[in-house]
Amino acid sequence: MRIQDRIYQAFTGSRPNVLGKVLEDISPRKATKTKHKKLSERTMQLIATAASIAILISAGFGGFAYYRDYFAGQKPGGDSTLNGTNPGITQPTTPPTDPNSPDELLMWIEEDARQIICPGATAETLPVEVVLDLMYPEQDRYASNCYVASAAYEGYHYALYYTQEGVLSRIGVLRSSDAQGYISQTVAQRKALLAYAQKQHGPCVASGSELVDDTYYKVRISGEYYQWSTLVYIDAYSGELAAPEDTADLNYRMDDMIYPRVLMSSIYMPPILPVQTVTEDGIEKYCFTRTENGYCYEFKFSTADYTLLSIAVLDCECEKTGHISEFLAGWIAQMDIDPDYYGRVHGIDFGLQLIDDSVYYVEVQHEGNDANYAYYIDARSGQILQAIEDAEPITTALEARNIALAANGHSIEELKDLAITRNGFNHAITVSYQVDSTRYQTVIAMFSGKVLSQTERNETASRGDENRSNVIGWQKARDIALEVCGRQKTHMIGFDYTFANDIYQFDFVFADASSTCRINARTGGIQNSNAEGNQLSQETATDIALNYVNLSADQVSDLTATLSGNTSYLVSFEANSIHYEITVHDTSGLILEVKLPITTRPQSIGFDIFAGYNGNWLRQGLTHAYDSPAQLQLAQLFSKGFDTETTTPTDEEIAYLNTVWPTDWPQEDLIRLPAEQMDQVLQQYYGIRLEELGTACFDGLVYMESTNCYYCMAGNSAALELNDIKAYRVETISDGSLRLYYYLHQRQFEPWVVTLRQNDREWVILSNQHLEDITDPNSGEPDVPDGSISFWGAAELAMEYTGLTDLEHVTVTGNRIDDHYVIYLNDTDILYKVTVKAYHSFDILDFEMIPLVEGGIQYKFESMLMDHDGWYNAAIAHQFASLEELQLKELFCTGFPGESTEFTAEELAPFPEEEGYYGDLIRLPKEKMDAVLRAYFGTFLSQLDGQCFAGLKYLESTGCYYSCVSDVNRPEEVVIWGAEFIDFELLQVRYRLSYEDGAPFFLLTLRYLPGGSWQIISNVQE
Amino acid sequence: MQENDGFVDCYSERGDEMLHQASKSDLDGWIRDMRHGDRDALAKLYHATSGAVYGYALSIVKNRHDAEDVLHDCYVTLWDKAAEYRSQDKPMAWILTITRNLCLKLLRQPDTIPLEELSYIAAPSADPAEAATLRICMQVLSEQEREIVVLHAVAGLKHRQIAKLLGLKHATVMSKYRRALQKLKASF
């Protein structure tokens, strides 16, 4: 059972059932008193209050009063029972089928009765209507204090308000048509809705209407989520779709056809378009122009069927490129996927690229079904040239590499310096490599695999021009500026970038001094800088530095203060065997840097202080995290107990502990911790007394007063082996204490920080924390420039990129190499090697991803190497440091299936029977050997040295090699211990041939080939 | 990919009770119905989410009696607060936030007695393996690690959602979760 399932079971398996009590205890919903405001007399009048439905009916509504019984949950139809279950309110997703259909759903009212909102409708109510308030209603209103039914009667529609108890509290009425001989506004809206529904434009609502010239209604119809709207004209007398004016009709129809295609910034209100009719080439077209997103467009549609005929970009001041905007290209692609649903198709990621200045390549992912589409769209007319459905994304870097190689006509052997990066926003992959002195860069569309662009350049001529944006990035520029001006990031008050000449400008203020620095964005060079303020004296800088570490001049030696560069003093001195170097800004007096150079760090700090196993209380301090000694977990700290204490419990101890632990506690695991000794350790190594610790520190310990000892069971915290601690940085912090940054192999290379202080040459641990938990804003991951990501940040990105987000299946390992992280993600299905650049500017991060081992590394290689019929198993039966040392006799010692036919006299001749050869003779056809060598070793017989053929005899007449095998020694058991990439494609698998301790390790080196196969390079003992 | 509540994914795998049927929209719908006094909706919500609520409460208050109280109070609160609920596609996060607040309120009460005896956290009738698992979770994991593990394994929240709920960084949650699992693996 998985750990997660165990936890789930444990935490929920025996949960009590309190539902009955909850239902008992929930208070009946109290009908709060409605604040009955005085309602507009024009639209609503209070006409009655009644105590029951009977009164309602007797008031004359009769069968016209459709109401729905909330309590009985019954359909409308006159049932007046007011008991039962509230059926709730749902909103219809389809328009009504008939303008005069009866109530299907109820209206509800907001608490203060200002708004009546009708999610469903009677013949005389709107699908969504604000009766009393023109404020646009939210869709999630509810009635907390009363229920509302609606009714239609003689041209009026009514809202009937009920209390929780079923008492009819009041009735509102909306005057609509007033019997003028034409249909009511409501019915007009319903008609308009149906007209749209019939045109299959999906769910829509009427959001307003107006009677014009006493002849027709102008009804505004909007998409279900108000993502579009248009006007529909309804004859006020007949209720038919009307076109009262040619222009208006044209506008209506243009809206209708344009919006699916040209949905731009005016989402909520359609434009009133000055539409012209033009005739071109004998075809009548509607034509209109519109300016959006900096482009002036001219759209032409067929007057016959409203087909979009062309989009042109007019020559205007704002844009003269002649091609449509990326935005419009994206929308054209989206609308093509599902035009009937307007904005409900969300292309969540655009891969947009203008190819050859004439064609847009657009990728859209349908948010509903995750299908991918790729489009080629004419950049000038907006016409779709090609649409690719279900475009398959490229998932591996190697796949991209192979596409690039094929496009450029290169082979894998030729290339060097391969870099594969994913272009952050554009969903494209850039493959860059060098052949001879030429660097080839190929941009590939991620979904279609199409080559978008190919460039070549002479590498020797343009070396150093790798950065695609060719600017250093604002963070690097800022760091330069900080250095130049001697400021900190918090002092930056202004930042600007001048595109014209690629200059970053940074403004800083500290105390009364302000400064400005201008950095060349391409070279990082300082354009100019200026600062205001007076330079500090050497003495003042020294005082500031000493004061900062709380030392006086007589406590230090070798004190020097020199101007460093032109903006700061470097103050250095020795104190308590620690060499300090403090940089002080020469104008502001700001401490810029406090550092302890590695070369001068005291010998006493390092791994040696954590040496030893039992009894090293500093080492035990690394077992868990704590921000201060007051948070120590004593059960962890003392998990190995004291050497002086025998663990055999006395009868008294057993009797006592039986009262606090289950009686079958394992006595041999008991750890006895005398309080006095604990106190001594705590004082000496952690600077705290036992009595100063809170109760939380004693979690897991049992105290026995008569012995003055604490007791616990041997835990799993386990002191760590010394060689598992990999310290990588030591630094001093402001109070003179030291921080030792380290990784622990057992903790998957998580960065930890232990903070120590030296008291009389004894080290005291102040804290042991995860790096990420250090709150000091000035501390970051060591040796990592600001702006770079942490190991775990990189791992997170790698996991997100590979889709391996569920950590329970993924083992994350890796390391930082120079300016990038190499992260291995090993889940049950696949092993990924992801290279993540540690430094990033803006939002772009580059990845390399190589899925290497399907089936999981351990499973994969164990099954591969233990297949006794397979050639990998045969290969590891002997050692060879290179293929020159391969022993074919060993490799092919079991022969080939089907080659066990009777040997001819000619074949037997070289192997006399008296020498005992016959029984073990094997026949090895040259072709079969070559096939194996080619497939599994990437070589041929003809390429192997003579020493590889030792023990084989070749018979030219049969084309076979022969060998007498005395012993077949294929490995029976293979235990994989790990695997590591030693090159881009070379994987070194570490394994043993036995589970037994002391069994030697072997290293099998394999080369990964496209398609998922592995070539054997060497097999040697470690 | 649209981020979802996480709840559906989790329970569609587990097939536990009616949870496999409970989608985010189901939860939303039930809460909406509760506004109108629908007790059936409350019952459905209870059946669908009580495991997560109880498990999460148990992970914080560390004893089953308090967790039971929180379980009860949580659904009474949900009933009373249903009117205030605004669907933001995160019904489970809302429920667990209420759960957490109730737990913290309980722990702040001076008369709350911290449980000394760890075996007490499991029901007397509980399976010994369950009891052992609970004990290990309580002993080995820190408060925050336990919360994270339970929110993921029991309530089915994604790490990103847990980060939001607990006010932690996403990377912190991931690393703490992984550390917690390693601790548990070593202890089981």
Side-chain angles (χ1 to χ4, degrees):
Chain A
M1 187 189 280
R2 295 185 319 150
I3 286 183
Q4 288 79 2
D5 292 334
R6 284 185 68 170
I7 292 168
Y8 177 80
Q9 194 59 38
F11 275 90
T12 64
S14 54
R15 68 179 182 273
N17 187 346
V18 298
L19 178 60
K21 185 151 188 352
V22 169
L23 291 174
E24 272 177 32
D25 291 351
I26 53 177
S27 55
R29 293 184 62 79
K30 295 186 178 89
T32 54
K33 288 183 180 174
T34 309
K35 289 181 283 182
H36 291 239
K37 291 188 174 178
K38 186 174 182 182
L39 305 174
S40 163
E41 289 183 0
R42 183 179 67 80
T43 56
M44 177 76 80
Q45 53 183 314
L46 191 65
I47 62 169
T49 56
S52 69
I53 293 295
I55 296 174
L56 172 68
I57 293 170
S58 66
F61 293 101
F64 292 98
Y66 294 105
Y67 52 86
R68 184 166 180 175
D69 178 2
Y70 278 88
F71 292 89
Q74 294 178 11
K75 295 286 183 186
D79 187 341
S80 59
T81 306
L82 295 176
N83 297 303
T85 305
N86 186 346
I89 296 171
T90 56
Q91 189 149 5
T93 54
T94 54
T97 53
D98 184 86
N100 293 307
S101 60
D103 280 53
E104 291 294 337
L105 292 156
L106 292 164
M107 301 194 299
W108 68 86
I109 188 170
E110 206 188 12
E111 193 168 346
D112 61 4
R114 277 188 297 114
Q115 293 182 338
I116 300 174
I117 305 159
C118 311
T122 68
E124 288 290 298
T125 54
L126 306 180
V128 175
E129 183 190 14
V130 182
V131 178
L132 296 176
D133 196 323
L134 292 178
M135 279 177 56
Y136 184 73
E138 288 181 23
Q139 303 231 352
D140 199 21
R141 302 284 187 193
Y142 59 93
S144 60
N145 58 348
C146 65
Y147 299 124
V148 186
S150 61
Y153 180 63
E154 293 181 348
Y156 292 83
H157 79 257
Y158 299 91
L160 313 175
Y161 301 81
Y162 297 96
T163 65
Q164 287 278 331
E165 291 75 32
V167 177
L168 181 66
S169 60
R170 59 197 174 94
I171 298 175
V173 60
L174 173 66
R175 184 174 177 175
S176 55
S177 60
D178 203 20
Q180 293 295 314
Y182 46 77
I183 62 168
S184 67
Q185 231 180 66
T186 308
V187 172
Q189 292 190 12
R190 182 75 65 84
K191 289 274 191 184
L193 270 178
L194 288 173
Y196 244 69
Q198 283 158 5
K199 288 163 71 70
Q200 297 183 334
H201 283 298
C204 44
V205 295
S207 53
S209 59
E210 180 187 355
L211 184 64
V212 180
D213 295 339
D214 207 24
T215 54
Y216 63 89
Y217 283 104
K218 189 163 73 177
V219 183
R220 183 167 297 286
I221 301 295
S222 304
E224 187 183 16
Y225 300 112
Y226 293 84
Q227 68 274 52
W228 57 269
S229 70
T230 190
L231 293 174
V232 175
Y233 298 89
I234 301 293
D235 187 294
Y237 294 92
S238 68
E240 297 302 315
L241 205 60
E245 294 170 22
D246 287 344
T247 307
D249 177 46
L250 188 59
N251 276 339
Y252 144 61
R253 285 190 279 176
M254 288 304 292
D255 284 350
D256 174 29
M257 65 188 177
I258 290 167
Y259 261 79
R261 298 171 176 82
V262 196
L263 190 63
M264 299 188 198
S265 57
S266 302
I267 290 175
Y268 293 100
M269 295 295 289
I272 301 300
L273 300 169
V275 179
Q276 297 176 331
T277 305
V278 297
T279 303
E280 292 176 352
D281 303 329
I283 302 171
E284 194 177 51
K285 302 174 181 176
Y286 290 129
C287 174
F288 74 96
T289 59
R290 185 162 177 77
T291 301
E292 291 288 356
N293 299 305
Y295 285 76
C296 292
Y297 294 109
E298 181 185 67
F299 299 88
K300 288 181 181 170
F301 292 83
S302 160
T303 55
D305 59 3
Y306 308 129
T307 307
L308 177 66
L309 298 175
S310 67
I311 300 175
V313 181
L314 302 183
D315 189 12
C316 64
E317 288 305 312
C318 53
E319 180 60 54
K320 293 183 179 177
T321 58
H323 51 70
I324 63 173
S325 65
E326 289 184 350
F327 186 88
L328 183 56
W331 270 108
I332 288 172
Q334 279 201 84
M335 290 305 111
D336 187 68
I337 293 173
D338 208 342
D340 288 338
Y341 281 87
Y342 300 91
R344 297 189 72 183
V345 175
H346 301 293
I348 57 172
D349 287 305
F350 287 154
L352 268 168
Q353 186 143 351
L354 183 64
I355 308 167
D356 300 334
D357 200 31
S358 64
V359 177
Y360 275 110
Y361 174 77
V362 184
E363 290 172 352
V364 184
Q365 189 175 33
H366 192 302
E367 203 169 50
N369 58 17
D370 285 345
N372 298 309
Y373 299 84
Y375 282 87
Y376 291 94
I377 294 170
D378 187 290
R380 287 180 171 77
S381 70
Q383 295 297 299
I384 294 172
L385 303 175
Q386 188 186 351
I388 306 164
E389 288 186 22
D390 297 328
E392 285 294 326
I394 294 175
T395 55
T396 71
L398 287 186
E399 202 179 329
R401 181 198 66 183
N402 293 341
I403 291 172
L405 287 175
N408 295 319
H410 293 132
S411 67
I412 190 169
E413 288 78 18
E414 295 176 87
L415 63 87
K416 59 180 182 180
D417 248 0
L418 176 69
I420 301 172
T421 59
R422 175 183 164 181
N423 299 358
F425 183 71
N426 285 331
H427 272 207
I429 298 172
T430 301
V431 180
S432 172
Y433 61 83
Q434 192 172 333
V435 173
D436 297 331
S437 61
T438 306
R439 177 156 283 277
Y440 295 85
Q441 185 163 300
T442 310
V443 179
I444 299 164
M446 198 161 166
F447 282 117
S448 61
K450 179 173 176 58
V451 174
L452 299 177
S453 71
Q454 291 170 268
T455 55
E456 324 173 357
R457 68 166 186 269
N458 188 314
E459 183 62 11
T460 52
S462 58
R463 186 171 292 280
D465 195 23
E466 285 290 323
N467 194 320
R468 57 180 165 275
S469 62
N470 210 19
V471 297
I472 59 173
W474 74 274
Q475 288 164 312
K476 274 188 179 175
R478 180 197 59 194
D479 291 344
I480 294 170
L482 290 173
E483 177 77 19
V484 171
C485 297
R487 297 296 190 214
Q488 290 189 340
K489 280 179 276 185
T490 51
H491 301 146
M492 195 173 91
I493 59 161
F495 164 70
D496 197 10
Y497 180 77
T498 312
F499 284 96
N501 50 6
D502 294 323
I503 298 291
Y504 290 110
Q505 177 173 316
F506 299 91
D507 299 320
F508 304 98
V509 165
F510 176 71
D512 294 330
S514 64
S515 54
T516 298
C517 189
R518 290 161 61 81
I519 305 292
N520 187 309
R522 296 194 179 278
T523 64
I526 304 156
Q527 296 295 112
N528 57 50
S529 69
N530 57 69
E532 297 168 0
N534 299 319
Q535 193 176 53
L536 301 175
S537 68
Q538 205 174 45
E539 291 71 24
T540 307
T542 305
D543 286 346
I544 290 171
L546 290 172
N547 189 48
Y548 189 70
V549 291
N550 203 22
L551 293 169
S552 58
D554 56 357
Q555 290 177 298
V556 304
S557 58
D558 301 333
L559 178 63
T560 61
T562 53
L563 267 175
S564 171
N566 58 1
T567 57
S568 59
Y569 285 102
L570 178 64
V571 181
S572 68
F573 50 87
E574 295 271 339
N576 296 328
S577 304
I578 301 170
H579 179 83
Y580 289 90
E581 285 184 6
I582 300 175
T583 309
V584 183
H585 186 238
D586 67 346
T587 308
S588 63
L590 187 70
I591 300 292
L592 299 177
E593 190 178 9
V594 178
K595 83 176 176 185
L596 177 72
I598 297 292
T599 50
T600 59
R601 71 179 182 217
Q603 292 300 313
S604 52
I605 177 71
F607 311 127
D608 52 334
I609 66 166
F610 299 110
Y613 193 63
N614 277 1
N616 185 332
W617 299 108
L618 293 177
R619 177 194 194 83
Q620 282 294 102
L622 305 185
T623 52
H624 62 294
Y626 44 95
D627 295 337
S628 72
Q631 294 176 5
L632 278 168
Q633 287 296 307
L634 298 179
Q636 296 272 333
L637 182 65
F638 294 103
S639 60
K640 301 199 74 65
F642 291 93
D643 285 345
T644 53
E645 288 297 312
T646 59
T647 54
T648 309
T650 63
D651 291 342
E652 183 193 6
E653 288 171 331
I654 292 171
Y656 178 72
L657 293 173
N658 278 342
T659 65
V660 290
W661 287 336
T663 51
D664 57 347
W665 57 273
Q667 296 180 6
E668 61 274 16
D669 288 346
L670 183 69
I671 291 176
R672 182 190 298 111
L673 304 169
E676 285 180 11
Q677 290 189 49
M678 291 169 75
D679 188 48
Q680 190 181 349
V681 167
L682 286 168
Q683 287 191 56
Q684 182 174 349
Y685 296 99
Y686 297 90
I688 195 166
R689 296 183 63 90
L690 192 63
E691 63 195 26
E692 293 175 295
L693 296 177
T695 53
C697 301
F698 294 85
D699 274 359
L701 298 181
V702 172
Y703 179 65
M704 188 171 163
E705 199 165 357
S706 60
T707 60
N708 193 24
C709 288
Y710 289 87
Y711 299 87
C712 66
M713 310 301 289
N716 292 314
S717 56
L720 300 153
E721 292 297 333
L722 181 64
N723 55 12
D724 292 327
I725 304 171
K726 184 184 175 189
Y728 56 84
R729 187 187 185 188
V730 180
E731 69 171 15
T732 53
I733 53 178
S734 56
D735 63 357
S737 52
L738 299 184
R739 277 182 180 160
L740 183 68
Y741 293 77
Y742 67 100
Y743 289 117
L744 292 173
H745 182 264
Q746 287 95 328
R747 293 174 185 164
Q748 303 288 331
F749 300 108
E750 283 174 20
W752 283 66
V753 182
V754 59
T755 306
L756 304 112
R757 188 179 59 225
Q758 197 171 30
N759 290 342
D760 300 329
R761 300 199 173 275
E762 289 291 340
W763 289 99
V764 174
I765 293 185
L766 304 176
S767 67
N768 185 50
Q769 300 159 294
H770 303 293
L771 182 63
E772 62 188 28
D773 292 336
I774 295 181
T775 53
D776 179 356
N778 292 323
S779 98
E781 195 160 1
D783 304 327
V784 176
D786 183 44
S788 76
I789 50 178
S790 68
F791 176 83
W792 281 105
E796 185 182 347
L797 287 166
M799 283 187 283
E800 284 190 358
Y801 186 68
T802 53
L804 302 176
T805 52
D806 202 351
L807 275 175
E808 66 196 56
H809 298 305
V810 183
T811 306
V812 182
T813 56
N815 215 338
R816 185 185 173 115
I817 302 168
D818 298 331
D819 64 345
H820 63 276
Y821 293 102
V822 177
I823 292 163
Y824 298 95
L825 305 175
N826 183 9
D827 82 342
T828 51
D829 297 324
I830 205 160
L831 173 69
Y832 289 94
K833 176 193 179 190
V834 184
T835 305
V836 180
K837 279 194 177 175
Y839 187 87
H840 64 94
S841 59
F842 301 102
D843 292 322
I844 299 168
L845 286 160
D846 293 338
F847 299 93
E848 290 176 18
M849 182 181 75
I850 311 169
L852 284 162
V853 184
E854 293 185 6
I857 186 161
Q858 187 167 353
Y859 170 80
K860 169 76 180 179
F861 285 111
E862 282 190 358
S863 57
M864 199 164 98
L865 299 184
M866 285 176 67
D867 176 9
H868 296 148
D869 297 326
W871 294 108
Y872 295 106
N873 182 261
I876 61 170
H878 74 293
Q879 295 184 49
F880 48 99
S882 69
L883 294 183
E884 293 171 354
E885 296 178 13
L886 193 64
Q887 289 299 305
L888 297 175
K889 185 183 175 186
E890 295 287 341
L891 178 66
F892 294 109
C893 65
T894 52
F896 291 98
E899 294 298 334
S900 56
T901 53
E902 197 169 324
F903 291 93
T904 65
E906 185 188 9
E907 289 175 318
L908 292 174
F911 306 98
E913 187 177 9
E914 56 271 20
E915 293 182 19
Y917 280 148
Y918 275 19
D920 301 325
L921 190 61
I922 55 171
R923 181 194 293 122
L924 303 172
K926 200 175 168 184
E927 295 78 21
K928 292 185 177 179
M929 293 172 76
D930 254 341
V932 170
L933 290 171
R934 188 171 61 246
Y936 292 91
F937 296 87
T939 187
F940 299 93
L941 283 173
S942 58
Q943 292 177 334
L944 295 177
D945 290 343
Q947 60 186 15
C948 300
F949 294 85
L952 298 181
K953 294 188 177 178
Y954 183 63
L955 193 58
E956 198 150 347
S957 60
T958 60
C960 295
Y961 284 91
Y962 297 87
S963 173
C964 277
V965 179
S966 55
D967 188 20
V968 175
N969 187 31
R970 285 203 164 189
E972 292 291 327
E973 191 170 57
V974 178
V975 186
I976 302 293
W977 281 75
E980 186 181 5
F981 291 94
I982 56 174
D983 197 352
F984 187 65
E985 292 167 328
L986 292 186
L987 183 76
Q988 206 164 54
V989 180
R990 189 165 181 249
Y991 68 97
R992 292 162 88 167
L993 296 174
S994 165
Y995 279 100
E996 288 176 15
D997 287 343
F1001 284 101
F1002 293 90
L1003 295 173
L1004 173 67
T1005 306
L1006 301 159
R1007 170 181 282 124
Y1008 175 75
L1009 296 180
S1013 58
W1014 297 87
Q1015 267 181 1
I1016 302 160
I1017 305 296
S1018 64
N1019 180 53
V1020 293
Q1021 187 170 336
E1022 190 177 33
Chain B
M1 189 67 67
Q2 193 175 13
E3 191 179 345
N4 67 19
D5 191 74
F7 183 71
V8 184
D9 295 344
C10 170
Y11 291 110
S12 58
E13 284 175 10
R14 296 197 186 291
D16 186 3
E17 300 173 359
M18 64 182 294
L19 304 187
H20 63 287
Q21 298 169 354
S23 68
K24 190 170 52 185
S25 57
D26 286 338
L27 299 182
D28 266 343
W30 292 332
I31 295 170
R32 219 167 26 235
D33 292 345
M34 283 159 57
R35 297 168 183 168
H36 307 296
D38 188 341
R39 297 159 72 92
D40 276 356
L42 174 66
K44 286 176 189 166
L45 186 76
Y46 177 89
H47 287 306
T49 59
S50 59
V53 169
Y54 179 76
Y56 185 40
L58 186 59
S59 76
I60 298 175
V61 299
K62 293 206 284 188
N63 74 81
R64 65 189 178 88
H65 287 314
D66 284 345
E68 186 175 332
D69 286 347
V70 169
L71 179 68
H72 169 271
D73 293 350
C74 178
Y75 287 94
V76 173
T77 307
L78 286 172
W79 176 262
D80 290 337
K81 300 271 185 189
E84 294 170 19
Y85 173 70
R86 289 288 178 272
S87 173
Q88 293 176 332
D89 277 357
K90 295 179 178 62
M92 203 58 211
W94 181 64
I95 294 169
L96 292 173
T97 302
I98 288 177
T99 308
R100 188 165 197 266
N101 290 341
L102 287 170
C103 290
L104 297 180
K105 187 178 167 189
L106 189 80
L107 292 175
R108 278 196 296 269
Q109 288 171 1
D111 56 345
T112 300
I113 301 166
L115 203 64
E116 300 295 339
E117 197 171 342
L118 289 169
S119 60
Y120 191 53
I121 60 169
S125 59
D127 177 64
E130 282 180 24
T133 304
L134 275 177
R135 192 163 50 244
I136 289 168
C137 285
M138 297 297 173
Q139 283 177 329
V140 171
L141 301 183
S142 70
E143 301 279 344
Q144 203 165 59
E145 286 169 347
R146 192 164 52 244
E147 264 191 83
I148 290 168
V149 166
V150 169
L151 283 170
H152 187 66
V154 179
L157 295 194
K158 302 282 186 200
H159 291 113
R160 200 174 292 282
Q161 295 167 321
I162 297 171
K164 203 168 282 182
L165 185 70
L166 301 182
L168 299 172
K169 285 188 288 187
H170 185 195
T172 307
V173 169
M174 291 212 301
S175 59
K176 283 183 186 295
Y177 177 77
R178 198 179 46 73
R179 273 199 298 276
L181 277 202
Q182 283 175 347
K183 284 185 187 176
L184 292 175
K185 276 179 190 167
S187 306
F188 283 158

